[in-house]
Amino acid sequence: MLKLIAKAQAQFIKNEEGATAIEYGLIAAGISVAIAAVVFTFGEQLVAMFGSLGESLAPAADADAG
């Protein structure tokens, strides 16, 4: 019985299936934190840039519509 428990423990310790999922989760979390930091830092500048780009393209959109 003791050998059976020792064998089961050895197989459990060698099993690395969950480790891969955890690693991918940590990578995804790191990327999410990086994106949040960039948006927090440059958010107002990005809004201004896309706003001016939209204003620049508005006359062309109006010309196509009419």
Side-chain angles (χ1 to χ4, degrees):
M1 181 71 173
L2 203 52
K3 288 182 180 181
L4 182 62
I5 293 173
K7 186 176 180 180
Q9 285 177 343
Q11 288 177 347
F12 181 75
I13 291 172
K14 289 180 183 179
N15 188 358
E16 295 182 1
E17 281 185 28
T20 304
I22 292 171
E23 290 168 358
Y24 283 128
L26 290 172
I27 291 169
I31 291 170
S32 299
V33 168
I35 290 171
V38 168
V39 169
F40 181 75
T41 304
F42 300 109
E44 292 179 15
Q45 295 172 353
L46 289 171
V47 169
M49 181 184 71
F50 283 113
S52 66
L53 182 64
E55 291 173 4
S56 304
L57 295 175
D62 292 339
D64 285 344

